[in-house]
Amino acid sequence: FGVDPLVTGPLAVRSVIFLPLKSPGRSLVGGVYLLDRVARTLTADQTDALRRLGRLSVYHMSVRESAAQLEAQLTRVREARRSLSERADYYQRIFQAMQGFLWWHRPDGTLSMANDGACQALGYDRDVLTGRNLAELVPVEQQAALERYLETATQSGRFRGLLTLEARDGHRIELAYQASAF
């Protein structure tokens, strides 16, 4: 055995009490040492307090580890959101740049998105066209055809047909459409 500087040095330690710190899975994760210059034995209350301190230390270590894991997950979620946002912006730009009429609408016919081609042909700004119902753009005598279209849209995956729209200035646009339900 060698000479321990804690015993022979300026601290002159005469009492060492060690409490192993174990995880809930019983793995050793550290320890608590009590050093004193006076040789002593702990009382039952002191031993109980030391054990509580040990459990509290293990609890704080697990909370810190959980917080680090949650922070890592949050970082991954933020990165995924950023990536999805970039992709959505990319596809939005493609959608807007495509030629012809492109739009998305809800099953009731309310437009949720329209590309530049549709806006220009109908004479509406995007923010005015979006939110309008197709029934507002279809002439009265074509409303039955619109109803059939909307009914088919909710029942089929892909379909084609003819539809007449009325532009803002009153001129009519005959469309041969191909639609896909999502």
Side-chain angles (χ1 to χ4, degrees), residues 19 21-22 32 48-64:
L19 173 70
L21 299 178
K22 295 185 179 180
V32 174
D48 183 55
L50 184 58
R51 285 192 179 118
R52 287 175 191 238
L53 176 65
R55 284 192 299 271
L56 187 60
S57 298
V58 170
Y59 171 76
H60 280 286
M61 282 189 273
S62 71
V63 166
R64 211 176 289 152

Side-chain angles (χ1 to χ4, degrees), residues 120-124 137 165-173:
Q120 289 170 2
L122 292 169
Y124 290 101
L137 303 171
L165 299 174
E166 197 168 274
R168 185 176 185 170
D169 65 6
H171 82 274
R172 292 187 176 192
I173 302 168

Side-chain angles (χ1 to χ4, degrees), residues 123-144:
Y124 290 101
D125 289 333
R126 182 174 295 109
D127 59 339
V128 173
L129 192 56
T130 302
R132 286 193 116 166
N133 194 289
L134 289 172
E136 299 174 51
L137 303 171
V138 173
V140 174
E141 67 275 6
Q142 296 288 320
Q143 292 294 316

Side-chain angles (χ1 to χ4, degrees), residues 36 38 43 47 51-52 65 75 84 88 91 93 99 101-102 105 116 129 135 149 154 156 159 162 164 172 180-181:
D36 200 339
V38 177
T43 66
T47 301
R51 285 192 179 118
R52 287 175 191 238
E65 183 179 327
T75 298
L84 285 173
Y91 290 117
R93 283 184 276 136
Q99 298 295 315
F101 276 68
L102 288 176
H105 64 78
D116 290 341
L129 192 56
Y149 163 78
T154 58
S156 290
F159 49 96
L162 298 173
T164 301
R172 292 187 176 192
S180 296

Side-chain angles (χ1 to χ4, degrees), residues 12-170:
V13 172
R14 297 293 175 254
S15 179
V16 177
I17 299 168
F18 172 72
L19 173 70
L21 299 178
K22 295 185 179 180
S23 70
R26 306 299 294 154
S27 300
L28 185 64
V29 294
V32 174
Y33 286 88
L34 296 177
L35 306 176
D36 200 339
R37 293 180 177 169
V38 177
R40 67 178 71 238
T41 304
L42 295 181
T43 66
D45 286 344
Q46 289 171 327
T47 301
D48 183 55
L50 184 58
R51 285 192 179 118
R52 287 175 191 238
L53 176 65
R55 284 192 299 271
L56 187 60
S57 298
V58 170
Y59 171 76
H60 280 286
M61 282 189 273
S62 71
V63 166
R64 211 176 289 152
E65 183 179 327
S66 294
Q69 290 171 353
L70 288 172
E71 187 63 39
Q73 287 176 349
L74 184 59
T75 298
R76 286 191 297 273
V77 166
R78 284 180 179 144
E79 178 59 27
R81 278 187 175 169
R82 185 193 61 73
S83 177
L84 285 173
S85 177
E86 285 175 358
R87 279 190 229 150
D89 183 55
Y90 173 76
Y91 290 117
Q92 174 74 17
R93 283 184 276 136
I94 290 173
F95 178 84
Q96 292 305 333
M98 294 188 82
Q99 298 295 315
F101 276 68
L102 288 176
W103 56 33
W104 289 347
H105 64 78
R106 294 189 202 91
D108 71 352
T110 302
L111 293 170
S112 53
M113 186 184 284
N115 76 335
D116 290 341
C119 293
Q120 289 170 2
L122 292 169
Y124 290 101
D125 289 333
R126 182 174 295 109
D127 59 339
V128 173
L129 192 56
T130 302
R132 286 193 116 166
N133 194 289
L134 289 172
E136 299 174 51
L137 303 171
V138 173
V140 174
E141 67 275 6
Q142 296 288 320
Q143 292 294 316
L146 175 63
E147 290 302 320
R148 283 191 304 277
Y149 163 78
L150 292 174
E151 189 175 309
T152 304
T154 58
Q155 296 172 356
S156 290
R158 291 181 177 262
F159 49 96
R160 298 169 194 230
L162 298 173
L163 188 62
T164 301
L165 299 174
E166 197 168 274
R168 185 176 185 170
D169 65 6

